[in-house]
Amino acid sequence: MTEKQLSTDVVVVGAGPTGLLLAGDLATAGVRVTVLEKRGGESNLTRAFAVHARTLEQLDARGLADDLIATGTALSSLRLFGRLRIELGALPTRFPFVLITPQSNTERLLQERALKAGATILRGVEVTGLRQDAEQVRIETVENGATAVHRARYAVGADGVHSTVRDLLGIPFPGESVVNSVLLADVRLERAPEEVLTVGANENGFAFVAPFGDGWYRVIAWDRARQLPDSEPASLNEIADITRRALGEDYGLHDARWSSRFHSDERQAPNYRSGRVFLAGDAAHCHSPAGGQGMNTGLQDAANLSWKLAAAVRGWAPDALLDTYQTERHPVGRAVLRSSGALVRLALARSAATRALRSAVTGFADNLGPVAARGARTVSGIGVRYPAGKDAHPLAGRRVPDLRLTGLHPAEGLSGGAGGPGRLYEALRTGRFVLVSNDELSAADPWADRVVTAAPADPHGKLSDTVLLIRPDGYAAWAAVDPSRGELRAALAHWLGAPSDD
Ligand SMILES: Cc1cc2nc3c(=O)[nH]c(=O)nc-3n(C[C@H](O)[C@H](O)[C@H](O)COP(=O)(O)OP(=O)(O)OC[C@H]3O[C@@H](n4cnc5c(N)ncnc54)[C@H](O)[C@@H]3O)c2cc1C
């Protein structure tokens, strides 16, 4: 076997949304990254339509949110079934809505960013083997019948639900099928639905209609009485019939350009890390599409892992930092499995008791108050919080909102530099930590290549006496009220590694 030998810092397997965000972050941080993707061309296979608020915040922290919003429609509530809606308008974010846009738009923007930052994306390259030792990962690939070996210090399997990387690591994927024989078709409609997203369910099935924005629509339909294997063709008549029964009409659907029958599983890998190799996105967890969580959760996995991997490659992080990817993201994945599973089971409910519960929930949906607000924070990802040590400041591990800042340093390319106004999510576009305080912050100078310093724009606001260190993924790393210079330096050394003048 003749082998090409290629080496890089990180190999990412899979150019779906998860792999592309990760690759863009690593390249922005100056890490050499190669993405290996078995598909020859770019994906035209849109599955996700919903981009939630926390994902939009992460995209804002990469300069992509406004461009993505321009491709879709913002909805201030998400209709789940019947009258059950999750109201998103009161979420404490610049993006109090869910954006409806085909997954291919999100992937296109993420790919453009990754390439611009210097990532290498190799298409038509299938990963077939993987071995690792204490120093590196050796990845075998096949491209047009020719084999090659890629060596990297770390690898990430972002290769979707049927992950080869997960199988090669011997990591199980326990779970079960939650709904079978779901029909899917991309069609034209004679009459456009009144709502952007149309969802309906009764005791016999459900249907869902979403726009691509170019005259094509995605229809998903399920009939309890017709449970067939995935190999059975999906007929347009069958889809129209279920749609009529679930939604009251079929909108004159016709001309399917694509249709299929699939099943939806609920599974999660028990370990997201094995040595130098990590799993992210659908490779680590999958669940029903209810609530539109899959792509969003994968993108948050990538945002959590990327800065930790970059710090490990640069020699700034202790190995234990990489373990926090599992302790922070595995519980989030489990919670998403639970909530999307509960939604789908409620939607498919057949027993009289569950149907009664569903009508009670939908009947009182408008009056659920705090429960509904919690639902909005959960579905949108805004409520995600990571564990912090028991003596930590109450802000540690929490999402930091888009603070107004001033006096950003170093100032290059930042609108809040040189005394002008700025925003936290703009400062995070540097891929660095952000240190916010009213105090003079020269203690951070030795870490200037890893941290942006700034003052709150309102010096008398809630943070007036607090020093706050924000991680590159927008969660609070550390905070303290009036810390000494020594305490601040100790916190910076803990989170950012040894200063560059050591
Ligand atoms: C009907 C439906 C509706 C959905 N709706 C939503 C929604 O509204 N919102 C939402 O957030 N999510 C939704 N999802 C889920 C969402 O589409 C996925 O969670 C998302 O695509 C996962 O992204 P990923 O990058 O982790 O994996 P993928 O998008 O699956 O990408 C993995 C990539 O890895 C490549 N690959 C696989 N094996 C190899 C190999 N051996 N070598 C090289 N490359 C390889 C694949 O070709 C692929 O490009 C939906 C899913 C379905 C089925």
Side-chain angles (χ1 to χ4, degrees):
M1 169 168 93
T2 48
E3 283 186 350
K4 258 195 302 181
Q5 300 271 346
L6 303 150
S7 73
T8 188
D9 291 324
V10 180
V11 159
V12 175
V13 185
T18 306
L20 291 170
L21 186 135
L22 189 66
D25 282 10
L26 290 167
T28 302
V31 171
R32 293 178 308 150
V33 54
T34 302
V35 182
L36 306 175
E37 166 56 56
K38 72 176 175 188
R39 272 187 282 109
E42 283 171 30
S43 170
N44 55 2
L45 207 170
T46 271
R47 288 175 288 160
F49 277 87
V51 184
H52 286 294
R54 185 62 182 142
T55 306
L56 288 167
E57 290 188 337
Q58 291 290 1
L59 295 174
D60 190 18
R62 289 157 180 83
L64 303 177
D66 293 329
D67 286 348
L68 188 64
I69 288 167
T71 69
T73 308
L75 300 184
S76 58
S77 70
L78 185 62
R79 185 168 158 196
L80 298 169
F81 51 81
R83 281 169 44 214
L84 181 59
R85 283 177 184 274
I86 297 201
E87 296 298 335
L88 304 163
L91 283 171
T93 165
R94 205 183 140 215
F95 309 106
F97 51 81
V98 54
L99 179 72
I100 304 304
T101 189
Q103 179 168 330
S104 48
N105 286 332
T106 309
E107 290 186 21
R108 178 175 48 77
L109 290 172
L110 289 170
Q111 169 162 306
E112 283 168 11
R113 165 179 180 258
L115 290 172
K116 206 164 142 202
T120 303
I121 301 178
L122 302 178
R123 292 188 177 272
V125 177
E126 179 169 4
V127 169
T128 53
L130 184 150
R131 271 188 277 150
Q132 58 174 320
D133 59 30
E135 253 83 66
Q136 61 171 348
V137 190
R138 184 181 182 280
I139 293 147
E140 292 166 15
T141 61
V142 177
E143 176 183 2
N144 291 331
T147 57
V149 171
H150 296 253
R151 293 176 192 280
R153 294 177 62 190
Y154 296 97
V156 182
D159 52 343
V161 68
H162 303 295
S163 172
T164 306
V165 173
R166 191 183 61 228
D167 289 347
L168 291 168
L169 292 170
I171 296 178
F173 204 36
E176 58 181 13
S177 197
V178 61
V179 44
N180 293 307
S181 199
V182 182
L183 299 160
L184 186 155
D186 290 348
V187 297
R188 296 276 187 188
L189 301 182
E190 275 164 19
R191 300 170 294 284
E194 268 171 37
E195 302 215 36
V196 178
L197 279 192
T198 311
V199 191
N202 57 35
E203 64 172 303
N204 300 315
F206 65 77
F208 163 98
V209 182
F212 281 96
D214 60 357
W216 288 94
Y217 288 81
R218 163 72 44 88
V219 181
I220 298 179
W222 180 78
D223 181 356
R224 184 187 304 281
R226 273 181 72 79
Q227 295 294 295
L228 301 173
D230 289 358
S231 53
E232 285 295 312
S235 95
L236 205 54
N237 282 341
E238 189 183 354
I239 295 172
D241 179 46
I242 304 171
T243 307
R244 266 193 308 277
R245 282 187 276 126
L247 302 179
E249 74 154 313
D250 65 17
Y251 304 101
L253 59 90
H254 61 98
D255 276 349
R257 64 177 173 188
W258 188 67
S259 64
S260 87
R261 192 183 297 269
F262 71 101
H263 65 278
S264 179
D265 283 359
E266 244 175 38
R267 298 179 184 278
Q268 187 178 26
N271 306 311
Y272 284 14
R273 176 183 188 185
S274 169
R276 298 186 154 267
V277 188
F278 299 81
L279 297 176
D282 276 16
H285 45 74
C286 71
H287 39 80
S288 91
Q293 299 287 298
M295 180 181 76
N296 288 276
T297 310
L299 292 172
Q300 304 294 334
D301 289 346
N304 184 285
L305 179 59
S306 63
W307 64 273
K308 297 173 183 174
L309 267 182
V313 168
R314 309 291 286 270
W316 296 336
D319 191 62
L321 181 67
L322 291 174
D323 284 332
T324 65
Y325 172 61
Q326 164 89 16
T327 50
E328 293 185 344
R329 292 306 300 171
H330 191 274
V332 173
R334 200 173 50 227
V336 171
L337 246 72
R338 217 181 288 132
S339 61
S340 68
L343 272 179
V344 87
R345 287 184 182 89
L346 212 51
L348 304 184
R350 187 162 212 190
S351 80
T354 322
R355 269 187 287 127
L357 173 66
R358 187 170 82 195
S359 58
V361 170
T362 57
F364 290 107
D366 296 342
N367 300 316
L368 284 174
V371 177
R374 202 161 56 236
R377 284 198 299 273
T378 302
V379 163
S380 65
I382 292 287
V384 168
R385 180 184 179 176
Y386 295 134
K390 72 175 172 12
D391 298 327
H393 187 281
L395 289 177
R398 285 183 183 264
R399 156 193 167 272
V400 183
D402 194 10
L403 303 173
R404 302 279 137 184
L405 301 175
T406 187
L408 276 77
H409 175 79
E412 310 93 71
L414 293 175
S415 52
R423 302 192 283 122
L424 173 64
Y425 293 179
E426 286 171 347
L428 290 172
R429 292 176 192 171
T430 57
R432 299 183 196 175
F433 280 75
V434 179
L435 182 64
V436 180
S437 171
N438 271 325
D439 296 343
E440 180 278 327
L441 288 173
S442 62
D445 286 353
W447 289 274
D449 55 344
R450 283 161 249 179
V451 67
V452 172
T453 59
D458 174 7
H460 308 294
K462 279 189 193 155
L463 289 176
S464 57
D465 57 357
T466 304
V467 181
L468 175 61
L469 180 64
I470 300 148
R471 313 180 340 178
D473 60 356
Y475 291 83
W478 172 87
V481 174
D482 288 332
S484 68
R485 196 175 170 89
E487 285 167 337
L488 175 56
R489 283 184 64 93
L492 290 169
H494 174 79
W495 283 95
L496 307 177
S500 34
D501 58 1
D502 271 13

PDB file of all heavy atoms in Angstrom, residues 7-24:
ATOM      1  N   SER A   7       0.400  15.681   7.862  1.00  0.00           N
ATOM      2  CA  SER A   7       0.272  15.946   9.289  1.00  0.00           C
ATOM      3  C   SER A   7      -0.263  17.346   9.552  1.00  0.00           C
ATOM      4  O   SER A   7      -0.078  18.272   8.763  1.00  0.00           O
ATOM      5  CB  SER A   7       1.604  15.726  10.006  1.00  0.00           C
ATOM      6  OG  SER A   7       2.467  16.759   9.682  1.00  0.00           O
ATOM      7  N   THR A   8      -0.966  17.443  10.677  1.00  0.00           N
ATOM      8  CA  THR A   8      -1.619  18.695  11.053  1.00  0.00           C
ATOM      9  C   THR A   8      -1.800  18.677  12.574  1.00  0.00           C
ATOM     10  O   THR A   8      -1.455  17.705  13.232  1.00  0.00           O
ATOM     11  CB  THR A   8      -2.970  18.816  10.297  1.00  0.00           C
ATOM     12  OG1 THR A   8      -3.515  20.092  10.513  1.00  0.00           O
ATOM     13  CG2 THR A   8      -3.967  17.765  10.724  1.00  0.00           C
ATOM     14  N   ASP A   9      -2.365  19.753  13.137  1.00  0.00           N
ATOM     15  CA  ASP A   9      -2.598  19.758  14.589  1.00  0.00           C
ATOM     16  C   ASP A   9      -3.873  18.980  14.933  1.00  0.00           C
ATOM     17  O   ASP A   9      -3.890  18.159  15.840  1.00  0.00           O
ATOM     18  CB  ASP A   9      -2.743  21.201  15.106  1.00  0.00           C
ATOM     19  CG  ASP A   9      -1.428  21.974  15.037  1.00  0.00           C
ATOM     20  OD1 ASP A   9      -0.369  21.363  15.260  1.00  0.00           O
ATOM     21  OD2 ASP A   9      -1.467  23.185  14.752  1.00  0.00           O
ATOM     22  N   VAL A  10      -4.955  19.291  14.214  1.00  0.00           N
ATOM     23  CA  VAL A  10      -6.239  18.646  14.516  1.00  0.00           C
ATOM     24  C   VAL A  10      -6.883  18.182  13.210  1.00  0.00           C
ATOM     25  O   VAL A  10      -6.954  18.944  12.243  1.00  0.00           O
ATOM     26  CB  VAL A  10      -7.210  19.626  15.229  1.00  0.00           C
ATOM     27  CG1 VAL A  10      -8.540  18.939  15.539  1.00  0.00           C
ATOM     28  CG2 VAL A  10      -6.597  20.178  16.515  1.00  0.00           C
ATOM     29  N   VAL A  11      -7.343  16.924  13.195  1.00  0.00           N
ATOM     30  CA  VAL A  11      -8.171  16.445  12.087  1.00  0.00           C
ATOM     31  C   VAL A  11      -9.614  16.420  12.568  1.00  0.00           C
ATOM     32  O   VAL A  11      -9.912  15.898  13.648  1.00  0.00           O
ATOM     33  CB  VAL A  11      -7.735  15.036  11.626  1.00  0.00           C
ATOM     34  CG1 VAL A  11      -8.860  14.348  10.871  1.00  0.00           C
ATOM     35  CG2 VAL A  11      -6.505  15.125  10.738  1.00  0.00           C
ATOM     36  N   VAL A  12     -10.498  17.030  11.791  1.00  0.00           N
ATOM     37  CA  VAL A  12     -11.933  16.971  12.075  1.00  0.00           C
ATOM     38  C   VAL A  12     -12.550  16.072  11.014  1.00  0.00           C
ATOM     39  O   VAL A  12     -12.369  16.320   9.816  1.00  0.00           O
ATOM     40  CB  VAL A  12     -12.566  18.384  12.009  1.00  0.00           C
ATOM     41  CG1 VAL A  12     -14.083  18.300  12.193  1.00  0.00           C
ATOM     42  CG2 VAL A  12     -11.945  19.302  13.062  1.00  0.00           C
ATOM     43  N   VAL A  13     -13.254  15.027  11.435  1.00  0.00           N
ATOM     44  CA  VAL A  13     -13.897  14.130  10.473  1.00  0.00           C
ATOM     45  C   VAL A  13     -15.350  14.564  10.321  1.00  0.00           C
ATOM     46  O   VAL A  13     -16.114  14.528  11.284  1.00  0.00           O
ATOM     47  CB  VAL A  13     -13.812  12.660  10.940  1.00  0.00           C
ATOM     48  CG1 VAL A  13     -14.390  11.738   9.865  1.00  0.00           C
ATOM     49  CG2 VAL A  13     -12.379  12.286  11.271  1.00  0.00           C
ATOM     50  N   GLY A  14     -15.720  15.007   9.100  1.00  0.00           N
ATOM     51  CA  GLY A  14     -17.099  15.418   8.834  1.00  0.00           C
ATOM     52  C   GLY A  14     -17.232  16.918   8.667  1.00  0.00           C
ATOM     53  O   GLY A  14     -16.857  17.688   9.555  1.00  0.00           O
ATOM     54  N   ALA A  15     -17.743  17.330   7.488  1.00  0.00           N
ATOM     55  CA  ALA A  15     -17.961  18.759   7.210  1.00  0.00           C
ATOM     56  C   ALA A  15     -19.438  19.098   7.298  1.00  0.00           C
ATOM     57  O   ALA A  15     -19.993  19.777   6.438  1.00  0.00           O
ATOM     58  CB  ALA A  15     -17.386  19.134   5.846  1.00  0.00           C
ATOM     59  N   GLY A  16     -20.108  18.594   8.341  1.00  0.00           N
ATOM     60  CA  GLY A  16     -21.465  19.057   8.662  1.00  0.00           C
ATOM     61  C   GLY A  16     -21.329  20.339   9.480  1.00  0.00           C
ATOM     62  O   GLY A  16     -20.220  20.863   9.651  1.00  0.00           O
ATOM     63  N   PRO A  17     -22.440  20.855  10.006  1.00  0.00           N
ATOM     64  CA  PRO A  17     -22.356  22.104  10.774  1.00  0.00           C
ATOM     65  C   PRO A  17     -21.392  22.014  11.958  1.00  0.00           C
ATOM     66  O   PRO A  17     -20.632  22.961  12.214  1.00  0.00           O
ATOM     67  CB  PRO A  17     -23.794  22.345  11.237  1.00  0.00           C
ATOM     68  CG  PRO A  17     -24.572  21.124  10.879  1.00  0.00           C
ATOM     69  CD  PRO A  17     -23.817  20.379   9.851  1.00  0.00           C
ATOM     70  N   THR A  18     -21.386  20.886  12.670  1.00  0.00           N
ATOM     71  CA  THR A  18     -20.524  20.758  13.853  1.00  0.00           C
ATOM     72  C   THR A  18     -19.052  20.858  13.461  1.00  0.00           C
ATOM     73  O   THR A  18     -18.281  21.635  14.041  1.00  0.00           O
ATOM     74  CB  THR A  18     -20.784  19.398  14.551  1.00  0.00           C
ATOM     75  OG1 THR A  18     -22.182  19.282  14.823  1.00  0.00           O
ATOM     76  CG2 THR A  18     -20.000  19.256  15.822  1.00  0.00           C
ATOM     77  N   GLY A  19     -18.648  20.069  12.456  1.00  0.00           N
ATOM     78  CA  GLY A  19     -17.245  20.050  12.039  1.00  0.00           C
ATOM     79  C   GLY A  19     -16.800  21.394  11.469  1.00  0.00           C
ATOM     80  O   GLY A  19     -15.661  21.828  11.693  1.00  0.00           O
ATOM     81  N   LEU A  20     -17.698  22.070  10.756  1.00  0.00           N
ATOM     82  CA  LEU A  20     -17.318  23.343  10.124  1.00  0.00           C
ATOM     83  C   LEU A  20     -17.142  24.452  11.157  1.00  0.00           C
ATOM     84  O   LEU A  20     -16.215  25.266  11.051  1.00  0.00           O
ATOM     85  CB  LEU A  20     -18.366  23.742   9.076  1.00  0.00           C
ATOM     86  CG  LEU A  20     -18.386  22.845   7.827  1.00  0.00           C
ATOM     87  CD1 LEU A  20     -19.608  23.157   6.966  1.00  0.00           C
ATOM     88  CD2 LEU A  20     -17.103  23.022   7.009  1.00  0.00           C
ATOM     89  N   LEU A  21     -18.010  24.485  12.184  1.00  0.00           N
ATOM     90  CA  LEU A  21     -17.823  25.522  13.213  1.00  0.00           C
ATOM     91  C   LEU A  21     -16.516  25.279  13.965  1.00  0.00           C
ATOM     92  O   LEU A  21     -15.727  26.194  14.202  1.00  0.00           O
ATOM     93  CB  LEU A  21     -19.004  25.551  14.186  1.00  0.00           C
ATOM     94  CG  LEU A  21     -18.923  26.712  15.181  1.00  0.00           C
ATOM     95  CD1 LEU A  21     -20.268  27.424  15.325  1.00  0.00           C
ATOM     96  CD2 LEU A  21     -18.450  26.307  16.558  1.00  0.00           C
ATOM     97  N   LEU A  22     -16.285  24.012  14.297  1.00  0.00           N
ATOM     98  CA  LEU A  22     -15.059  23.652  15.020  1.00  0.00           C
ATOM     99  C   LEU A  22     -13.822  24.040  14.219  1.00  0.00           C
ATOM    100  O   LEU A  22     -12.872  24.640  14.747  1.00  0.00           O
ATOM    101  CB  LEU A  22     -15.096  22.142  15.263  1.00  0.00           C
ATOM    102  CG  LEU A  22     -14.061  21.533  16.163  1.00  0.00           C
ATOM    103  CD1 LEU A  22     -14.234  22.018  17.591  1.00  0.00           C
ATOM    104  CD2 LEU A  22     -14.189  20.014  16.136  1.00  0.00           C
ATOM    105  N   ALA A  23     -13.827  23.703  12.933  1.00  0.00           N
ATOM    106  CA  ALA A  23     -12.661  23.985  12.091  1.00  0.00           C
ATOM    107  C   ALA A  23     -12.421  25.497  11.992  1.00  0.00           C
ATOM    108  O   ALA A  23     -11.273  25.959  12.056  1.00  0.00           O
ATOM    109  CB  ALA A  23     -12.882  23.392  10.699  1.00  0.00           C
ATOM    110  N   GLY A  24     -13.503  26.272  11.861  1.00  0.00           N
ATOM    111  CA  GLY A  24     -13.352  27.734  11.769  1.00  0.00           C
ATOM    112  C   GLY A  24     -12.757  28.305  13.045  1.00  0.00           C
ATOM    113  O   GLY A  24     -11.891  29.181  13.009  1.00  0.00           O
TER     114      GLY A  24
END
